[in-house]
Amino acid sequence: MAFRAVIFDLDGTLLDTIKDIADSMNFVLKTLGFPIYKTEEYYYFVGEGMEILCRKVLPPAHNTPDMVARCVAAMKTEYQRRWQNNTRPYPGILELLKELERREIQMAVLSNKPDPLTKLFIQKLLAGINFSLVLGESPDFPKKPAPDSALYIAKYLNISPSEFIYLGDSNIDMKTAISAGMFPVGVLWGFRTAEELMSSGAKSLIKKPQELLKIIDKNNIRRF
């Protein structure tokens, strides 16, 4: 069966967002009087939404519902102020997206970042790319790795889940893909390791965005 669509994770897959996330969260922690972290430590804090991020970075003694809520509110405000400072598409991403569009491969974005921010990032940083659907965290669906939102995208596009590639950089993305019956491909330019991706079910790993086209071509050749 040919691949007719691709679902992209956002952070660590389409966009390099880690510096702005780290700077925003560290500012919040410093304001609250808590220790801060190195930017690279945030590679393992992100991916499960803003509330989980705050739970991971707050000291255990202060990890209370009230403090988490306070941290989330402050982080939303600070991140909205800083998110454009350093965040950019990874090298080769725009070229890949344009080629997929030329081939009439349907494209969607699925993130655990809040839905309004996810849509804003796509609008501002990937303007002109024809994504069929862009979904972030919202009350409508449980967060990844629950497959609900991925399956909704498949239903919305009227394409079988088995005809989707799911492209992401973390164990959460690979687990989402497998649960949804999609083909999980891990990217090695993102926030997590090859070992994590493979142990979480990745069927293939790519080092550069253009390598995704080889996977699509190889699979489609097998039809004949």
Side-chain angles (χ1 to χ4, degrees):
M1 185 174 291
F3 291 127
R4 298 172 55 204
V6 181
I7 293 179
F8 294 90
D9 174 50
L10 185 66
D11 299 71
T13 301
L14 291 176
L15 303 179
D16 185 358
T17 57
I18 201 69
K19 183 69 164 59
D20 291 331
I21 292 173
D23 288 351
S24 301
M25 191 77 259
N26 280 339
F27 180 87
V28 170
L29 290 172
K30 188 174 181 180
T31 300
L32 294 172
F34 299 135
I36 63 174
Y37 298 87
K38 296 178 181 179
T39 297
E40 54 267 29
E41 293 181 272
Y42 280 90
Y43 288 145
Y44 288 90
F45 295 154
V46 299
E48 298 176 85
M50 204 169 285
E51 181 179 340
I52 301 299
L53 169 61
C54 287
R55 291 187 184 279
K56 287 182 175 180
V57 300
L58 285 171
H62 297 276
N63 210 314
T64 63
D66 287 346
M67 183 54 73
V68 169
R70 183 178 173 187
C71 179
V72 169
M75 177 59 176
K76 286 180 177 179
T77 298
E78 192 59 29
Y79 191 43
Q80 286 176 342
R81 189 173 72 85
R82 293 175 182 261
W83 72 267
Q84 294 189 81
N85 289 355
N86 302 282
T87 296
R88 298 291 184 274
Y90 284 101
I93 284 294
L94 285 172
E95 291 81 0
L96 170 64
L97 297 176
K98 290 176 182 178
E99 177 60 19
L100 291 173
E101 195 171 69
R102 188 189 71 80
R103 296 185 182 198
E104 298 184 347
I105 301 291
Q106 297 295 305
M107 297 180 290
V109 177
L110 179 56
S111 176
N112 276 342
K113 188 183 291 296
D115 189 64
L117 279 179
T118 299
K119 288 179 167 61
L120 178 64
F121 277 42
I122 295 299
Q123 178 187 352
K124 295 293 186 180
L125 298 177
L126 294 172
I129 301 299
N130 185 29
F131 290 107
S132 300
L133 199 60
V134 176
L135 294 180
E137 179 189 9
S138 76
D140 297 331
F141 302 102
K143 291 185 297 184
K144 300 184 295 183
D148 305 56
S149 48
L151 291 172
Y152 174 81
I153 291 172
K155 184 177 181 180
Y156 179 86
L157 295 180
N158 195 29
I159 296 174
S160 168
S162 63
E163 297 177 282
F164 276 82
I165 289 176
Y166 194 112
L167 194 72
D169 72 306
S170 74
N171 61 337
I172 293 170
D173 296 310
M174 300 303 99
K175 291 176 181 178
T176 304
I178 292 169
S179 296
M182 298 177 177
F183 188 82
V185 177
V187 308
L188 297 178
W189 59 80
F191 299 163
R192 304 292 177 85
T193 65
E195 291 75 18
E196 175 180 317
L197 292 166
M198 291 302 293
S199 65
S200 301
K203 300 296 185 184
S204 185
L205 300 178
I206 60 175
K207 295 180 180 180
K208 297 179 180 179
Q210 290 295 317
E211 292 176 14
L212 184 67
L213 300 174
K214 296 180 181 179
I215 295 174
I216 293 173
D217 290 340
K218 183 178 180 181
N219 185 79
N220 291 0
I221 287 172
R222 288 175 179 169
R223 292 183 302 156
F224 302 100

